Amino acid sequence: MDTVLNQIGNTPLVKLKQASELTGCHIYGKAEYFNPGESVKDRAALFIVQDALKRKLISKGGTIVEGTAGNTGIGLAVVCKEYDLSLKIVIPKTQSIEKKDTLRKMGAELIEVDAVPYSDPKNYIKQSKKIAEDLNKKNSKGVYWANQFDNVANTEAHIQTTAEEIWSQTAGRIDGFTCAVGTGGTLAGVSIGLKNKNKDIKVALSDPMGSSLYSHIKNNKLESSGNSITEGIGTGRITKNFDKALIDDAFQTGDEEALNLVYDLIEKQRIILGGSSGINIAGAIKLAKKMGPGKTIVTILCDHGKRYASKIFNKDFLKSKNLPIPNWL
Ligand code: PMP
């Protein structure tokens, strides 16, 4: 099939010079903003929709419903167009205006809801499930709730694609992998895929503040402290995808440290990334320092910085959050 869907995956692996020099390791980032929907979530979107089509849970003319911080929605918009499916997105109001505008331009119907914890029945994920159930009664072509958090087609995407690509791009010479968790699909899939190749590869969680997963790994307790302006990562529950992840270690990083790494990468390599990539690079540096010089460590560059122009590249926003402002902004 000659479609844009063929452009999902096979993203470049980029050497992160500063992080590598700092640690004496070879630190690489998987440049996921090269996907057609410009984020790592295109992979999950493709596998989730293809799985639903294969299992005949939906057909041409049907509707996909999903709760998303934005990137999964954009990935689903790319995939739904190819398969003639409509898309309904439930998104917390707090997500960046750039992501919401992109979703609207890509033909998704957007339902903006208050950002409330998962325990609240009005949480965006729970609302998306309810909307899908109600609509399904009325649509003969099928209405499918993508359920990225607990649908393990998400993990499968990263076992079959991301992990395979990292293995071949490093010629099997990889010692460590780390990334943050939203649904957990990336960390679970890459950890399973890589450890299938070599069980000695160390896998670490990179967690932002405000997430409970770091304390879950370190102390077996789902506890959180602080908060983060990063989007798409950090959670307070164990999803079915995260539950599959094979994790050896965990690191936690504050926004200031992550943003300084994002700004530094723009200055040194002209690579412009979103905040979650900063959390990932910080985790890669911490893993490298722990493992010692000479190791090869890979992380994920989840999406492009332009998706957050009004936030992490906006002086007023940064000032209001007491975050560092680069002198070139
Ligand atoms: N970074 C960003 C910007 C994201 O949107 C997401 C997905 N929510 C992630 C990282 C985390 O990916 P995953 O859902 O595979 O854990």
Side-chain angles (χ1 to χ4, degrees), residues 40-41 69 71-72 99 148 154 158 180-187 231-233 276 302-303 308:
V40 66
K41 298 302 305 202
N71 280 332
T72 303
K99 284 198 283 203
Q148 57 168 329
N154 175 357
H158 296 285
V181 162
T183 63
T186 312
L187 189 64
E231 295 185 21
I233 57 171
S276 72
C302 315
D303 64 359
Y308 309 94

Side-chain angles (χ1 to χ4, degrees), residues 10 31 39 48 52 54 79 82 96 124 149 162 164 168 193 199 206 211 218 256 266-267 289 297 308-309 318 322 329:
N10 290 314
S39 91
I48 286 171
K54 202 158 54 191
V79 178
E82 280 300 321
S96 81
Y124 72 107
F149 290 88
T162 324
E164 288 293 331
S168 67
K199 62 177 179 20
S206 291
S211 176
K218 289 291 193 188
E256 182 162 348
I266 295 172
E267 286 171 33
K289 284 185 174 161
I297 289 168
Y308 309 94
L318 293 169
N322 244 335
L329 199 65

Side-chain angles (χ1 to χ4, degrees), residues 91-103:
I91 189 166
K93 285 180 186 155
T94 46
Q95 300 308 291
S96 81
I97 187 86
E98 291 84 353
K99 284 198 283 203
K100 289 188 251 182
D101 280 351
T102 306
L103 277 163

Side-chain angles (χ1 to χ4, degrees), residues 246-262:
L246 306 172
I247 301 172
D248 303 297
D249 207 345
F251 304 104
Q252 195 160 38
T253 298
D255 285 344
E256 182 162 348
E257 187 182 343
L259 287 183
N260 279 329
L261 288 165
V262 168

Side-chain angles (χ1 to χ4, degrees), residues 17-265:
K17 288 189 199 160
Q18 286 294 110
S20 299
E21 275 166 30
L22 183 75
T23 56
C25 285
H26 307 282
I27 299 185
Y28 293 91
K30 190 100 171 100
E32 292 297 295
Y33 49 90
F34 277 90
N35 283 305
E38 302 181 314
S39 91
V40 66
K41 298 302 305 202
D42 281 18
R43 298 176 189 263
L46 179 65
F47 272 61
I48 286 171
V49 172
Q50 286 184 336
D51 174 66
L53 289 165
K54 202 158 54 191
R55 293 196 287 137
K56 306 220 179 320
L57 299 171
I58 192 165
S59 59
K60 202 169 159 174
T63 302
I64 299 277
V65 181
E66 182 59 326
T68 160
N71 280 332
T72 303
I74 296 167
L76 284 170
V78 172
V79 178
C80 283
K81 187 69 188 165
E82 280 300 321
Y83 289 115
D84 260 322
L85 301 165
S86 301
L87 179 61
K88 220 180 253 290
I89 293 297
V90 184
I91 189 166
K93 285 180 186 155
T94 46
Q95 300 308 291
S96 81
I97 187 86
E98 291 84 353
K99 284 198 283 203
K100 289 188 251 182
D101 280 351
T102 306
L103 277 163
R104 283 196 193 94
K105 282 181 192 140
M106 293 182 102
E109 184 193 328
L110 231 59
I111 301 162
E112 288 190 56
V113 299
D114 289 331
V116 294
Y118 186 75
S119 52
D120 189 319
K122 288 210 154 33
N123 172 270
Y124 72 107
I125 302 166
K126 289 186 176 160
Q127 288 209 49
S128 69
K129 180 179 188 209
K130 174 88 175 51
I131 289 167
E133 282 168 356
D134 291 348
L135 272 178
N136 202 19
K137 295 172 194 147
K138 301 176 208 149
N139 188 323
S140 61
K141 302 285 189 339
V143 176
Y144 186 67
W145 180 45
N147 190 18
Q148 57 168 329
F149 290 88
D150 294 308
N151 181 343
V152 293
N154 175 357
T155 291
E156 196 56 40
H158 296 285
I159 297 175
Q160 287 186 32
T161 71
T162 324
E164 288 293 331
E165 292 166 30
I166 291 171
W167 181 256
S168 67
Q169 285 169 312
T170 55
R173 285 191 284 275
I174 167 169
D175 302 294
F177 174 82
T178 184
C179 73
V181 162
T183 63
T186 312
L187 189 64
V190 175
S191 65
I192 293 167
L194 288 178
K195 282 179 186 274
N196 271 342
K197 309 270 189 199
N198 174 2
K199 62 177 179 20
D200 295 332
I201 295 170
K202 291 273 173 285
V203 172
L205 160 75
S206 291
D207 218 23
M209 300 307 294
S211 176
S212 310
L213 300 178
Y214 173 79
S215 98
H216 170 71
I217 299 295
K218 289 291 193 188
N219 314 314
N220 216 7
K221 277 193 202 128
L222 273 174
E223 283 173 353
S224 71
S225 66
N227 53 43
S228 173
I229 57 106
T230 57
E231 295 185 21
I233 57 171
T235 176
R237 74 178 175 109
I238 309 298
T239 64
K240 290 212 172 99
N241 284 294
F242 179 75
D243 203 29
K244 289 171 146 308
L246 306 172
I247 301 172
D248 303 297
D249 207 345
F251 304 104
Q252 195 160 38
T253 298
D255 285 344
E256 182 162 348
E257 187 182 343
L259 287 183
N260 279 329
L261 288 165
V262 168
Y263 300 141
D264 193 53
L265 207 57

